[in-house]
Amino acid sequence: MSSKRAKKKKQKQLEEKQLEAELQPAEKAQDEEDIPAPQESENETEAVAENTQSGETAENAEAEAQEPEEIQEPEIEKDVFQEEPHDEQLIVEQKEKEDFAVMMQDFKAAVEQVNEKDPDEETLIRLFGECDTDSHKEKVIENPYEIVEKEEHRIAHLVLKILYAASALLFTGALLVFGIISFCDEDKLVSQTENRTLTQKPALTLSAIFSGEYTVQFENYYSDNFPARDFFIGVNGKIKDVLTRFSVGDNTDVIISVDKSDDDFAGEGVDLGNKPENSDEIKENTAEVTPDDEASIKGSIILSGDRAMEIYTYNESDAKRYASVVNKTAAAMPDGVKFYSLVSPTAVEFYGTKTYREGVHSQRDAIKNIYSKLSDDVITVDAYSALVEKSEEYIYFRTDHHWTARGAYYAYTAFCNTAGVTAPKIESFTTHNIEDFVGSLYRSSQAEALKKNPDYVECFELLVDATNTVYSTPEMTDGINTYIVAKKVNADNKYLAFISGDQPLEKIKTNVANGKKILVLKESFGNAFVPFLCNNYEEVYVVDPRKMDMYLPDFVKENGIQEVLAINYCFGISNSKYCNELEKLTVKEVKE
């Protein structure tokens, strides 16, 4: 539309120029007639008067004077102006055609991008506002991509609005749904997935509100009782498994960092660069090692295929602290009581990489160093040498930080050798398995490889008759009967198959009528060990210092106990809470 108007306008301008060119010579001639002509006429008249004798007339003189007017410059200029406008017009027309063709191609491409074959009046008004439709199309032709930019901006703005609205709806909807579920559902007391007691709803009091204590307690409570918490823990495990695991050679090894707050998952060493002193009593570790280049280090648990292991690091101050507490406990025992100490290694000592079995990570050296700090009142048990000889057997779980009952049996044989009693042959036991056990290392790492390859709990049934009673006080007046080795465990933590897990005080009575009594001070590693003692003692007492409040020397004396065994694994010695609670057992002032 605009091209036609421009063409007409230029045609009009050319016509005006042509008319101007035609009029200009006439005006110039008229000017010459008005001014110079009278002078020439007078001269010519005089020439005629002077030349009458030559026979020239006045008419010939006028004709000579008028001849130059007929062949004038303006006549030539007129022809030039007539041809020049004609050439320029052709050039302009040609250029307009070319420009118009280009603009139409751009326009076509533009409208195709917004799925419009030809923008109608409604589309143009939407994009450019109210005005003449022809004016709209001129705008599109002048800037063909403006329609695309505005349309894309409009669509993007609309999409953002939809996304914001959907996000707000999902967020508020989720809060509403979870709020309703939280209000209506029943709080759990125990998490089977994490094997721990969950925080319960705090009491609402004015003092707790103003002190800020209620807010903190409620936050912990809601964190433990969030709807579908186990499901989200599982999802987190799958994500973590994808993000942390990677392939190296033929194996898939990765080391991840975990926060171990469960008392049953005792302690972790800090690498301070200390190296234990060497000794020659304990056997060398000859178990096959994983090459260093098949693992990457970035935390405290190593995943190697379908096995998980804690990374142990020796700490001199922890070793001194543990040795000091054990020495103090042994010294507090009544006269004649034998006191034994058994420190057990963990799975990484036998199945970890070479680096994590040497130097500050060597549990063999750590155990020797700890034993070297114990007093003469303490008799040490070399369970390490018994275990290293059997490292190819199923002596440690792959998904849990404990040893298996088979591993505990080999440590038991080492104790029997030290205590001078006889251990039954392993072949003499009847065994049964509890299947599908994924333990503490899975709960901490949530590694899918562990979940897909669960452990089984091998149980060695008793060779003697025995009963077990659990008590909460040293007076033993509130007893509850329980099992020593279970046939089945309904909870996820199948390691509870041994002496009901961690209890404050247990008393096992057997039909071994030899009058011998022993007390075991232990954390959870001792649970699988205790049942084997039933073969050698008439009474076996079991105390978990973390759960029991008593004055141990009096309890030992009052019950006629002749032997005490402190059994811990290497991480247990760095568990400050365990050491503190063990020390309290020998402080009478605290118990009174």
Side-chain angles (χ1 to χ4, degrees), residues 549-562:
D549 187 15
M550 63 161 55
Y551 182 57
L552 188 61
D554 282 355
F555 183 84
V556 169
K557 183 177 181 180
E558 291 169 2
N559 290 280
I561 297 170
Q562 304 108 355

Side-chain angles (χ1 to χ4, degrees), residues 220-493:
N220 294 333
Y221 154 74
Y222 194 72
S223 176
D224 276 3
N225 292 275
F226 191 80
R229 184 171 183 273
D230 289 345
F231 167 76
F232 287 116
I233 289 175
V235 171
N236 176 67
K238 287 182 172 62
I239 295 173
K240 185 187 294 184
D241 187 70
V242 171
L243 295 178
T244 59
R245 294 184 63 80
F246 56 90
S247 294
V248 184
D250 295 331
N251 296 328
T252 302
D253 290 356
V254 66
I255 296 180
I256 63 173
S257 179
V258 298
D259 181 16
K260 294 175 288 188
S261 58
D262 190 350
D263 288 340
D264 194 42
F265 198 5
E268 62 181 35
V270 178
D271 189 350
L272 300 179
N274 308 81
K275 186 172 181 179
E277 299 174 4
N278 289 324
S279 177
D280 295 327
E281 290 86 11
I282 300 177
K283 289 185 178 181
E284 291 285 346
N285 184 358
T286 58
E288 185 178 352
V289 300
T290 301
D292 286 335
D293 59 1
E294 292 185 2
S296 176
I297 309 305
K298 65 171 185 174
S300 57
I301 292 181
I302 182 171
L303 302 178
S304 180
D306 61 356
R307 179 184 290 278
M309 299 161 281
E310 291 179 272
I311 297 175
Y312 174 79
T313 303
Y314 176 81
N315 183 283
E316 180 69 16
S317 61
D318 288 342
K320 288 181 177 179
R321 168 66 174 156
Y322 178 80
S324 173
V325 172
V326 171
N327 287 337
K328 184 176 181 180
T329 306
M333 293 299 100
D335 292 340
V337 174
K338 294 182 179 180
F339 195 98
Y340 301 92
S341 174
L342 188 157
V343 178
S344 169
T346 64
V348 72
E349 180 71 8
F350 307 117
Y351 312 115
T353 66
K354 183 177 181 181
T355 296
Y356 283 85
R357 292 167 50 173
E358 296 180 345
V360 295
H361 304 295
S362 170
Q363 295 181 56
R364 174 179 179 272
D365 292 344
I367 293 170
K368 288 192 296 183
N369 196 32
I370 292 168
Y371 283 176
S372 70
K373 300 179 187 302
L374 297 178
S375 67
D376 294 338
D377 295 330
V378 181
I379 304 169
T380 59
V381 178
D382 180 15
Y384 186 100
S385 296
L387 289 166
V388 75
E389 290 182 346
K390 303 294 183 179
S391 60
E392 293 183 358
E393 296 185 26
Y394 188 48
I395 60 174
Y396 287 95
F397 293 115
R398 293 174 291 98
T399 70
D400 192 81
H401 69 287
H402 295 105
W403 53 17
T404 63
R406 181 173 291 267
Y409 168 81
Y410 291 127
Y412 158 72
T413 61
F415 169 77
C416 289
N417 290 335
T418 303
V421 296
T422 303
K425 299 292 184 180
I426 195 170
E427 296 81 6
S428 63
F429 290 91
T430 301
T431 63
H432 65 268
N433 296 339
I434 300 176
E435 304 290 344
D436 298 326
F437 172 45
V438 286
S440 57
L441 295 176
Y442 166 72
R443 292 194 299 270
S444 298
S445 67
Q446 293 293 306
E448 283 295 299
L450 303 183
K451 186 177 182 180
K452 293 176 181 178
N453 298 277
D455 283 299
Y456 65 89
V457 179
E458 184 181 24
C459 299
F460 292 79
E461 298 177 10
L462 297 181
L463 299 177
V464 299
D465 294 332
T467 59
N468 185 19
T469 308
V470 174
Y471 302 96
S472 62
T473 66
E475 290 76 23
M476 296 187 292
T477 57
D478 57 349
I480 299 174
N481 293 331
T482 187
Y483 57 85
I484 301 172
V485 178
K487 290 285 186 181
K488 60 181 293 186
V489 177
N490 295 325
D492 290 338
N493 183 11

